[in-house]
Short mmCIF file of all heavy atoms in Angstrom, two decimals:
data_model
loop_
_atom_site.label_atom_id
_atom_site.label_comp_id
_atom_site.label_asym_id
_atom_site.label_seq_id
_atom_site.Cartn_x
_atom_site.Cartn_y
_atom_site.Cartn_z
N THR F 115 122.81 190.80 160.66
CA THR F 115 122.97 191.17 159.27
C THR F 115 123.45 190.02 158.41
O THR F 115 124.15 189.15 158.79
CB THR F 115 123.97 192.34 159.17
OG1 THR F 115 125.29 191.92 159.63
CG2 THR F 115 123.52 193.51 159.92
N ASN F 116 122.98 190.01 157.13
CA ASN F 116 123.31 189.00 156.21
C ASN F 116 123.51 189.57 154.84
O ASN F 116 123.12 190.72 154.62
CB ASN F 116 122.19 187.88 156.15
CG ASN F 116 122.00 187.16 157.40
OD1 ASN F 116 122.84 186.44 157.85
ND2 ASN F 116 120.97 187.30 158.07
N THR F 117 124.13 188.90 153.98
CA THR F 117 124.34 189.32 152.63
C THR F 117 123.57 188.35 151.64
O THR F 117 123.72 187.17 151.72
CB THR F 117 125.84 189.26 152.20
OG1 THR F 117 126.56 190.18 153.07
CG2 THR F 117 125.95 189.82 150.79
N PRO F 118 122.64 188.92 150.88
CA PRO F 118 121.85 188.08 150.00
C PRO F 118 122.73 187.36 148.86
O PRO F 118 123.70 187.87 148.42
CB PRO F 118 120.90 189.02 149.26
CG PRO F 118 121.58 190.41 149.29
CD PRO F 118 122.37 190.37 150.62
N ASP F 119 122.30 186.08 148.65
CA ASP F 119 122.99 185.33 147.64
C ASP F 119 122.16 185.51 146.29
O ASP F 119 121.06 185.69 146.29
CB ASP F 119 123.02 183.84 147.98
CG ASP F 119 123.91 183.60 149.24
OD1 ASP F 119 124.85 184.28 149.32
OD2 ASP F 119 123.55 182.76 150.05
N ASN F 120 122.90 185.43 145.22
CA ASN F 120 122.33 185.46 143.96
C ASN F 120 121.57 184.18 143.57
O ASN F 120 122.00 183.01 143.96
CB ASN F 120 123.21 185.83 142.82
CG ASN F 120 123.78 187.17 142.89
OD1 ASN F 120 124.76 187.46 143.51
ND2 ASN F 120 123.00 188.07 142.29
N LEU F 121 120.40 184.32 142.91
CA LEU F 121 119.63 183.12 142.51
C LEU F 121 120.48 182.30 141.45
O LEU F 121 121.36 182.78 140.82
CB LEU F 121 118.37 183.53 141.79
CG LEU F 121 117.36 184.21 142.66
CD1 LEU F 121 116.12 184.62 141.75
CD2 LEU F 121 116.72 183.17 143.66
N GLY F 122 120.20 180.94 141.51
CA GLY F 122 120.73 180.06 140.43
C GLY F 122 120.05 180.42 139.14
O GLY F 122 119.03 181.07 139.11
N ASN F 123 120.56 179.92 137.97
CA ASN F 123 120.05 180.12 136.69
C ASN F 123 120.10 178.86 135.87
O ASN F 123 121.20 178.29 135.82
CB ASN F 123 120.76 181.31 135.96
CG ASN F 123 120.09 181.73 134.76
OD1 ASN F 123 119.20 182.55 134.78
ND2 ASN F 123 120.54 181.29 133.60
N ASN F 124 118.96 178.53 135.31
CA ASN F 124 118.84 177.24 134.61
C ASN F 124 118.36 177.62 133.14
O ASN F 124 117.42 178.30 132.92
CB ASN F 124 117.98 176.20 135.12
CG ASN F 124 118.44 175.73 136.43
OD1 ASN F 124 119.47 175.09 136.41
ND2 ASN F 124 117.73 175.89 137.53
N VAL F 125 119.14 177.19 132.10
CA VAL F 125 118.80 177.39 130.75
C VAL F 125 118.20 176.20 130.11
O VAL F 125 118.83 175.06 130.10
CB VAL F 125 120.09 177.78 129.94
CG1 VAL F 125 119.71 178.04 128.46
CG2 VAL F 125 120.75 179.05 130.56
N SER F 126 117.01 176.34 129.47
CA SER F 126 116.35 175.25 128.78
C SER F 126 117.13 175.10 127.49
O SER F 126 117.07 175.96 126.57
CB SER F 126 114.91 175.58 128.52
OG SER F 126 114.31 174.50 127.82
N THR F 127 117.78 174.02 127.35
CA THR F 127 118.75 173.73 126.21
C THR F 127 118.20 172.55 125.37
O THR F 127 117.94 171.51 125.87
CB THR F 127 120.12 173.44 126.69
OG1 THR F 127 120.57 174.43 127.52
CG2 THR F 127 121.10 173.32 125.52
N THR F 128 118.08 172.83 124.09
CA THR F 128 117.42 171.74 123.20
C THR F 128 118.55 171.18 122.31
O THR F 128 119.17 171.91 121.57
CB THR F 128 116.38 172.29 122.19
OG1 THR F 128 115.26 172.84 123.05
CG2 THR F 128 115.79 171.19 121.35
N TYR F 129 118.83 169.89 122.50
CA TYR F 129 119.87 169.13 121.66
C TYR F 129 119.17 168.48 120.55
O TYR F 129 118.10 167.84 120.82
CB TYR F 129 120.59 168.17 122.60
CG TYR F 129 121.53 168.80 123.61
CD1 TYR F 129 120.92 169.21 124.88
CD2 TYR F 129 122.90 169.02 123.50
CE1 TYR F 129 121.70 169.73 125.87
CE2 TYR F 129 123.65 169.56 124.50
CZ TYR F 129 123.08 169.88 125.66
OH TYR F 129 123.80 170.42 126.63
N ARG F 130 119.67 168.41 119.42
CA ARG F 130 119.14 167.63 118.30
C ARG F 130 120.17 166.61 117.80
O ARG F 130 121.31 166.90 117.44
CB ARG F 130 118.78 168.56 117.15
CG ARG F 130 118.35 167.87 115.88
CD ARG F 130 117.65 168.83 114.95
NE ARG F 130 116.34 169.26 115.47
CZ ARG F 130 115.55 170.06 114.84
NH1 ARG F 130 115.86 170.63 113.69
NH2 ARG F 130 114.37 170.47 115.36
N THR F 131 119.76 165.37 117.94
CA THR F 131 120.50 164.24 117.33
C THR F 131 119.90 163.90 115.94
O THR F 131 118.74 163.73 115.74
CB THR F 131 120.50 163.01 118.24
OG1 THR F 131 121.00 163.28 119.48
CG2 THR F 131 121.10 161.86 117.53
N GLU F 132 120.77 163.80 114.94
CA GLU F 132 120.38 163.39 113.56
C GLU F 132 121.15 162.19 113.24
O GLU F 132 122.38 162.04 113.54
CB GLU F 132 120.63 164.63 112.59
CG GLU F 132 119.72 165.80 112.87
CD GLU F 132 119.80 166.79 111.70
OE1 GLU F 132 119.36 166.44 110.64
OE2 GLU F 132 120.34 167.92 111.87
N LEU F 133 120.46 161.26 112.50
CA LEU F 133 121.09 160.03 112.15
C LEU F 133 120.82 159.80 110.64
O LEU F 133 119.64 159.84 110.21
CB LEU F 133 120.46 158.83 112.92
CG LEU F 133 120.75 157.43 112.47
CD1 LEU F 133 122.25 157.18 112.51
CD2 LEU F 133 119.96 156.39 113.30
N SER F 134 121.85 159.46 109.92
CA SER F 134 121.60 159.06 108.48
C SER F 134 122.55 157.99 108.12
O SER F 134 123.64 157.76 108.80
CB SER F 134 121.95 160.37 107.54
OG SER F 134 123.36 160.72 107.78
N ILE F 135 122.10 157.26 107.06
CA ILE F 135 122.90 156.08 106.60
C ILE F 135 123.20 156.39 105.15
O ILE F 135 122.26 156.63 104.35
CB ILE F 135 122.08 154.81 106.73
CG1 ILE F 135 121.46 154.64 108.14
CG2 ILE F 135 122.97 153.55 106.35
CD1 ILE F 135 122.47 154.38 109.20
N GLU F 136 124.49 156.26 104.77
CA GLU F 136 124.98 156.38 103.38
C GLU F 136 125.45 155.08 102.79
O GLU F 136 125.94 154.30 103.54
CB GLU F 136 126.03 157.49 103.24
CG GLU F 136 125.61 158.83 103.80
CD GLU F 136 124.53 159.56 102.93
OE1 GLU F 136 124.55 159.28 101.73
OE2 GLU F 136 123.85 160.34 103.53
N ASN F 137 125.29 154.96 101.54
CA ASN F 137 125.68 153.77 100.74
C ASN F 137 125.17 152.46 101.39
O ASN F 137 125.87 151.51 101.56
CB ASN F 137 127.27 153.76 100.71
CG ASN F 137 127.84 154.98 100.09
OD1 ASN F 137 127.39 155.45 99.06
ND2 ASN F 137 128.92 155.55 100.75
N LEU F 138 123.84 152.49 101.69
CA LEU F 138 123.21 151.35 102.30
C LEU F 138 123.11 150.21 101.39
O LEU F 138 122.58 150.36 100.21
CB LEU F 138 121.87 151.84 102.82
CG LEU F 138 121.07 150.71 103.43
CD1 LEU F 138 121.70 150.08 104.65
CD2 LEU F 138 119.56 151.34 103.80
N GLU F 139 123.42 149.04 101.80
CA GLU F 139 123.20 147.79 101.13
C GLU F 139 122.45 146.85 102.10
O GLU F 139 122.89 146.76 103.15
CB GLU F 139 124.51 147.12 100.61
CG GLU F 139 125.22 147.99 99.53
CD GLU F 139 126.40 147.28 98.96
OE1 GLU F 139 126.54 146.10 99.06
OE2 GLU F 139 127.30 147.90 98.36
N LEU F 140 121.50 146.14 101.51
CA LEU F 140 120.74 145.19 102.40
C LEU F 140 121.04 143.73 101.96
O LEU F 140 121.56 143.51 100.90
CB LEU F 140 119.19 145.48 102.18
CG LEU F 140 118.74 146.85 102.41
CD1 LEU F 140 117.27 147.00 102.00
CD2 LEU F 140 118.97 147.25 103.89
#
């Protein structure tokens, strides 16, 4: 006899990186 294990679970996660520049001088 055995006891079943639960499946793993993976979540597709979307990360968003945003980049901005303020008071830019060249």
Side-chain angles (χ1 to χ4, degrees):
T115 59
N116 294 295
T117 301
D119 295 323
N120 289 91
L121 292 173
N123 191 80
N124 293 298
V125 179
S126 177
T127 307
T128 303
Y129 294 83
R130 174 164 292 180
T131 294
E132 295 192 66
L133 168 63
S134 61
I135 311 290
E136 301 292 331
N137 303 317
L138 175 62
E139 293 185 22
L140 304 174

